[in-house]
Amino acid sequence: MSTTIAIAAPPRLPLALKLGFTAFMAVLVPFYWITYGPTNFLYFCDVAMFFTLAALWTESPLLASMPAVGLIVPQLVWCVDFIASWLGLPLLSMTAYMFDPGIPLFARGLSSFHAWLPFVLVYLVARLGYDRRALLGWTALAWALLAISRLFLPAPPADPAQPNVPVNVNYVYGFSDAAVQTVMPGWAWLALLFVGLPLLVFLPTHLVLQRWRGQR
């Protein structure tokens, strides 16, 4: 009688990356919870960090692909705006807070994850492959987060009594945290996000990743 010995596949991701990312999250999560409150974790980028942490330890292509399809492009835009602001030529002013001396340097340092997260996600997809179910999964999650942000979280501007509580989470009231956009009705702006993000951000990223590292 023959016996078959199963040999576990070697990990596809380095342990140093797993431990380093976990250590970063171990600092970021309690600091953000105490400083900004739990609603801060409803931002797309923060949700993506939790998905990335899970993907690192499970080595799941789907868990890596979902934040990749949703966040690579927006976070690269963050990087471009940061560099432009550093050069004195801000584009969208979305990174203006990184140069605000009124915000502690430690807090701004933690927010630097916006700069390196897209490259980590590209690396994960390169190593694990891209799961095409990510487009539908992240779109559904994004719609849920947009609905929650609009229905239950505060509009800008921030309450002077609670200046650290996030407002305008996921830009559901416009691009400014100082005031609600007035270019169009609020429902039209939200509809634009519901339609525009999947069509203009998620779908193009999905097509590129699917062609590059797509799995059946």
Side-chain angles (χ1 to χ4, degrees):
M1 181 178 67
S2 62
T3 58
T4 302
I5 300 176
I7 301 176
R12 289 173 287 179
L13 301 174
L15 180 59
L17 176 60
K18 297 177 180 181
L19 294 176
F21 195 95
T22 303
F24 182 84
M25 289 291 285
V27 175
L28 180 141
V29 171
F31 179 84
Y32 274 16
W33 185 286
I34 294 171
T35 305
Y36 306 115
T39 58
N40 192 84
F41 298 108
L42 294 175
Y43 280 106
F44 290 160
C45 52
D46 291 271
V47 172
M49 290 290 281
F50 287 104
F51 269 81
T52 304
L53 178 64
L56 282 168
W57 287 104
T58 63
E59 301 194 351
S60 164
L62 179 60
L63 292 179
S65 299
M66 286 180 62
V69 79
L71 267 293
I72 286 178
V73 170
Q75 297 299 264
L76 288 177
V77 172
W78 190 98
C79 293
V80 171
D81 188 70
F82 177 81
I83 294 173
S85 298
W86 181 58
L87 295 175
L89 302 169
L91 300 176
L92 301 175
S93 298
M94 63 189 304
T95 61
Y97 70 95
M98 292 293 287
F99 304 93
D100 184 353
I103 299 176
L105 184 60
F106 180 74
R108 286 181 281 162
L110 286 178
S111 191
S112 67
F113 77 82
H114 294 88
W116 48 260
L117 178 59
F119 303 101
V120 171
L121 293 173
V122 169
Y123 174 77
L124 294 185
V125 171
R127 295 298 298 267
L128 302 176
Y130 176 72
D131 190 319
R132 63 185 180 184
R133 296 173 296 172
L135 175 62
L136 179 59
W138 187 264
T139 298
L141 178 60
W143 283 346
L145 292 172
L146 288 172
I148 292 171
S149 299
R150 180 72 188 203
L151 292 173
F152 303 110
L153 302 186
D159 183 352
Q162 297 178 305
N164 287 335
V165 174
V167 298
N168 193 29
V169 173
N170 295 319
Y171 303 109
V172 291
Y173 290 96
F175 286 123
S176 172
D177 288 345
V180 176
Q181 65 82 30
T182 57
V183 176
M184 62 184 73
W187 65 264
W189 175 263
L190 191 62
L192 183 63
L193 292 179
F194 267 78
V195 176
L197 284 174
L199 288 182
L200 302 179
V201 179
F202 306 160
L203 180 59
T205 307
H206 163 81
L207 294 175
V208 171
L209 296 177
Q210 172 71 16
R211 184 175 181 85
W212 175 46
R213 291 289 294 154
Q215 298 179 341
R216 291 189 177 275

